Amino acid sequence: VSRLVNRAKLEDLKDIIERYGEDPQAGRIARAIVEARVRKPIETTGELAALVERAYPAAWRAKARNHPATRTFQALRMAVNDEIGELERFLDAILGRLKPGGRVAVISFHSLEDRMVKQTMRYWAEGCRCPRHVPVCVCHHVPEVEILYKKPVQADDDELAVNPRASSAKLRAVEKIAEAVS
């Protein structure tokens, strides 16, 4: 993370914070980081957190639920660990390794991850993939999975009372369908 914070170009930092942190202040934060590291490298998480906090407008800081640096730290972690790439590689490989009746359950903690899981599982579950203008199915594609829950499973109030970190967790699950015999 230190290398990324101290060496990445302004546009790259802005893109990372915007994409993975979904932070509307990404441009201001990236500029603050680049300006600060000209004077001295950013060496601690405390320095970075304080820097991000100062980059936020006072009105935003006053009404924020979490520390202003939360999204920036999340974005940097996701970029360094290639978390979206890892999830994509997992989803690309897992269905082929599953036997009929086998299940895949994925817990996501971020909207980007959840969107990717949801779209992939829906794709696996769809039947015909012919273009809409084709009046009769010619692809003969059959669904590969059954989606087990229409909506993601999320923590209820009782679980949140003992485990507040579960507030952003979403569970999605599918079961592989037995292959049709020709």
Side-chain angles (χ1 to χ4, degrees):
V1 173
S2 176
R3 184 178 301 137
L4 180 64
V5 168
N6 286 302
R7 295 185 186 168
K9 295 177 187 169
L10 171 70
E11 281 305 311
D12 293 339
L13 277 173
K14 179 181 178 278
D15 181 57
I16 287 167
I17 296 167
E18 204 168 59
R19 181 172 178 215
Y20 298 132
E22 297 178 321
D23 196 319
Q25 299 295 328
R28 291 175 70 125
I29 294 166
R31 277 191 299 281
I33 291 170
V34 169
E35 289 169 8
R37 72 184 189 199
V38 167
R39 293 185 294 278
K40 133 187 182 354
I42 300 163
E43 296 174 344
T44 69
T45 55
E47 287 178 275
L48 181 58
L51 185 66
V52 172
E53 187 172 20
R54 286 191 306 273
Y56 255 74
W60 286 54
R61 283 194 308 262
K63 63 181 181 182
R65 288 186 322 160
N66 297 321
H67 191 282
T70 302
R71 290 178 174 191
T72 299
F73 279 89
Q74 171 185 286
L76 295 171
R77 184 204 72 225
M78 289 177 75
V80 167
N81 295 335
D82 188 26
E83 292 176 20
I84 297 296
E86 288 292 332
L87 178 59
E88 188 174 6
R89 287 185 286 281
F90 167 78
L91 292 170
D92 285 348
I94 193 62
L95 196 59
R97 297 171 186 250
L98 213 57
K99 293 179 181 178
R103 293 181 173 190
V104 175
V106 179
I107 299 174
S108 60
F109 293 91
H110 188 281
S111 59
L112 288 174
E113 296 166 343
D114 184 57
R115 194 173 311 124
M116 182 184 295
V117 171
K118 176 176 70 174
Q119 289 172 349
T120 300
M121 288 181 172
R122 282 185 179 169
Y123 182 76
W124 292 341
E126 72 184 17
C128 174
R129 293 184 178 158
C130 293
R132 292 181 192 263
H133 69 274
V134 176
V136 178
C137 179
V138 293
C139 74
H140 307 291
H141 185 268
V142 294
E144 300 168 85
V145 301
E146 177 186 343
I147 295 176
L148 298 178
Y149 309 104
K150 184 176 177 121
K151 299 277 187 187
V153 177
Q154 294 181 275
D156 60 16
D157 292 338
D158 291 338
E159 182 172 354
L160 291 174
V162 295
N163 183 13
R165 289 182 171 190
S167 65
S168 63
K170 293 183 178 181
L171 169 73
R172 294 186 184 272
V174 295
E175 182 175 315
K176 188 164 185 180
I177 299 171
E179 296 172 14
V181 180
S182 299

